[in-house]
Amino acid sequence: MADDQHEEVSKKVSAEEEIRRGITVMRRVVQGRSRGIILDVYWSNQGQLIEPNGHTLTSFIGALVRNEIPITCDDWRNKELNESKEKIWSEIKRCFNIEEERRGFCMKLAGKLLRGFRTFLSSKFLKDADGNFVDAELPKKYESLISAEEWEAFKSKRQDPVFQRISATNRERASSPAYPYRKGRVGYGRLEQSMLQKEESSETSLPAHVLWKEARVGKSGVPQEEVLHVYQKCEELSQSLSPDDTKGILSRALNVPEYSGRMRGKGFGVTPTSLSIKKGKAPSNRELHARLEAMQAELDALRREREASASTVYRDASDKDSINCTFQPNIPEGISHCQLYLSSPYYRMVGKGKVHNISGVLLHTRELPAGCLKVSVDIAVEPNAALPYPSDDSDATTVHEAVGSFVAWPTNLICVGYETPTKSKSKDNAIPRHTESTVSRKELQENEVSNASAQQKKEVSNASARVKSSGAKKTVARKKPTTKYRSCLRTFLEMTDIPTGGVRTVHMEVGIFGFDYDQMIGNEDFMQVFSHEEIGVTVVNTYIRFLYDKLMRPNGLDVSFGFLAPATVNLGLILSRPDTVTEYVLRILMDNKDAEKLFFIPFNTGGHWLLLAINPIREIVYYLDSLGNDWTTYPDMKVLIDTVLQAFRAQRDIQTSRRGANSITWIKVACPQQRNQIDCGYFMLRFMRDTLALGRLKIPTDYFDEFKCAFYTKDQVDEIKEEWCQFMIKLNVCS
């Protein structure tokens, strides 16, 4: 400011002289105008002042506004200032070659410079070294700009208790910034210009986080470690965020509230409009309701269309001659793991699940169609394949939509186990090869059980000997996970009716998912863990019961963490019954609205497990996907979660601006990545386990330092299996 003030005249001119000569400010500019020299002004692609003459125009506007606007003006939008603003703009146009559409920028800059001048006067003359108020006289240096009456009114305003309280709040907020700006009066626009010129780049702009980092480099030329850490986060986020994301990368990395219209890291003059970014508008309740009704209408139309095609598919499937396969399964009683097939337009597997061959079983309180069995769909191999019998109760018409629910499936299209039925060329001499495979597999399992039992006895004997020989040793080196609990559990299972179709139940109390029920578990669920296969919702739910019993409740973490049922919140149900999912999630959140809590959602997309961790109070959603995808892969999931959080906010009567209404933060966590097509479920369970082990409500973008790794090893995955098997033994599920 001092440099600008040296350019001003030392005495005040009379009104007559002012009319004749104009306002005398910045002699170099005014004298050039008298000689017919009009200075050109240049702008960046983002609408910021740059060199040449950018600094000159800024200083000129500062001198004008100090001459024309009294320091007692606190509201720059006051209509009484319109005449003075018109005069300022007229003087700018007389000295600079500037377009009319730049008026808004210049007026905003004038208001900013006036506020800066008032702050300078207050800090320089009305406060001592300790920040206490001083009743100072009008400085002689500014007698030509400020009248005695204006000075007294200015001092009185600064002593007002309300003003001092607001000033103290703002001063505290601005003090000791974590990442201080170190480029003086250069500004982001001219800094960007100098960087591009220095690099001789053909680009017209730089990313916001690159400018932000450079603006925090001091004379030493070395940025602080904290600045580099934020910059690195921005680099990682730039690889995952959609280009259409309205919340900037830098804002996400800093994780701080934003002001309306601000573009962090770009400086004064840059707005979402200048960057062609559409501002998000918070939908009203009426709009949300209309959107849901439109979605429901589309689903109804799709359902009617699929029903027509599905009936044709079933007629083809019921015709034995149309099935190019002589396989006719002999399905055992009880619940068995199975593969689900369709025969039209060609014979192929479309999903995996469990077949419930139980006498008297009903499907949604109704009898099953003739020639069908009740099937629960766990995995969609061909997501868009039409169901043989669309479900009237769940509105599911495709295999993808049926994941996590029960449907009717023709018996001749169900294959028990994981074997793929072989198509035979001859109908008369065909032998069901899957039967031979089943027999050999059973014999193999018996041998494995026998060997495992012998190995288990050997391990127990060796362990006993080691304990006796250890004497007074207090610590023992940690060993790699063994298979002792899996071997033990497998041996116990062979002594029950579970391998032949028997089922057991694991009680899930209301504190886990918000409702009380008994989880059924059968042989196929155990085999998923024993044989390292894709795990289904039963294994996930029972492992969550383990986390609840062993980590949450004993350590008091149930007040800070919670779970949502994966059978109720999954992509299939979001597409088929969004209202049901929304109602359930919102109920759980409202039941816990008075305390900050992190909710885990083990989310199944139809063939893949990922983890959502939601902090509804802070409106943050952590996204952990062991395949490296981001949430844009599942837009329906994101829309529903955002809608629930907006409804949660509304029911808590939290008032936000329109911009704040769209401030729900999604964070992609750089979690360990799987290296095959099976481990997603185990990785997802371990993400929850790691978070609960540390007891932290915030998940770092680059994952926890204590558990950070590129991928989980076989031993780390085996730990999950051993914990699950040990817990099943403790619950006496084999009794």
Side-chain angles (χ1 to χ4, degrees), residues 71 117 120-122 124-126 136-147 151 154-155:
I71 60 174
F117 182 54
F120 165 76
L121 292 174
S122 179
K124 182 72 174 178
F125 302 105
L126 298 183
E137 297 293 332
L138 172 63
K140 292 184 178 180
K141 184 176 182 179
Y142 299 104
E143 287 180 349
S144 61
L145 299 175
I146 306 170
S147 68
W151 181 252
F154 180 72
K155 289 196 300 182

Side-chain angles (χ1 to χ4, degrees), residues 24 114 235 704 727:
T24 307
L114 178 63
E235 287 290 295
F704 302 108
F727 188 61

Side-chain angles (χ1 to χ4, degrees), residues 197-432:
Q197 290 175 348
K198 184 177 180 181
E199 297 174 2
E200 298 182 354
S201 173
S202 59
E203 299 291 334
T204 58
S205 63
L206 294 171
H209 65 281
V210 175
L211 276 176
W212 180 87
K213 185 193 78 168
E214 186 63 26
R216 278 143 188 85
V217 177
K219 294 181 179 179
S220 65
V222 180
Q224 296 178 346
E225 184 178 349
E226 295 82 1
V227 172
L228 287 176
H229 182 66
V230 174
Y231 175 78
Q232 186 60 36
K233 281 187 177 180
C234 291
E235 287 290 295
E236 294 173 358
L237 285 171
S238 65
Q239 305 299 320
S240 59
L241 289 181
S242 168
D244 299 328
D245 203 314
T246 57
K247 186 171 182 181
I249 291 174
L250 184 57
S251 299
R252 291 184 179 278
L254 292 171
N255 196 22
V256 293
E258 277 297 12
Y259 303 103
S260 177
R262 177 175 184 175
M263 295 301 300
R264 188 176 290 275
K266 285 293 185 179
F268 179 79
V270 180
T271 63
T273 303
S274 66
L275 291 181
S276 300
I277 297 177
K278 295 180 180 180
K279 291 185 178 180
K281 180 182 178 182
S284 63
N285 290 338
R286 181 179 299 176
E287 291 172 335
L288 288 174
H289 185 67
R291 188 183 304 173
L292 289 175
E293 286 185 344
M295 290 174 61
Q296 187 62 48
E298 291 179 5
L299 288 172
D300 290 342
L302 180 63
R303 177 174 172 240
R304 288 191 296 269
E305 180 182 340
R306 294 276 175 82
E307 281 178 348
S309 61
S311 61
T312 304
V313 170
Y314 176 67
R315 285 195 298 272
D316 292 341
S318 62
D319 184 1
K320 294 182 180 181
D321 292 334
S322 68
I323 304 176
N324 188 22
C325 175
T326 60
F327 165 61
Q328 295 294 327
N330 181 18
I331 300 176
E333 293 185 1
I335 301 177
S336 305
H337 189 88
C338 68
Q339 293 177 338
L340 306 174
Y341 287 78
L342 289 178
S343 61
S344 177
Y346 59 91
Y347 193 85
R348 81 279 189 196
M349 181 177 69
V350 296
K352 296 182 180 181
K354 303 179 187 70
V355 56
H356 295 246
N357 189 14
I358 302 172
S359 177
V361 69
L362 300 177
L363 179 65
H364 306 301
T365 70
R366 302 175 185 175
E367 292 185 359
L368 287 163
C372 292
L373 286 176
K374 181 178 180 181
V375 167
S376 61
V377 183
D378 293 336
I379 299 171
V381 176
E382 186 179 312
N384 294 327
L387 294 174
Y389 278 96
S391 173
D392 294 331
D393 295 88
S394 65
D395 294 330
T397 59
T398 66
V399 176
H400 179 79
E401 294 170 350
V403 171
S405 61
F406 293 100
V407 296
W409 207 276
T411 307
N412 62 332
L413 295 176
I414 299 174
C415 174
V416 175
Y418 280 112
E419 297 76 16
T420 302
T422 303
K423 299 177 183 179
S424 174
K425 296 181 180 179
S426 171
K427 295 185 179 181
D428 299 329
N429 301 323
I431 299 177

Side-chain angles (χ1 to χ4, degrees), residues 42 83 117 169 199 261 272 294 315 332 335 407 412 417 442 554 598 644 675 715:
Y42 298 88
E83 184 178 349
F117 182 54
T169 301
E199 297 174 2
R315 285 195 298 272
I335 301 177
V407 296
N412 62 332
K442 186 172 181 180
L598 191 68
V644 170
R675 300 191 296 175
D715 292 337

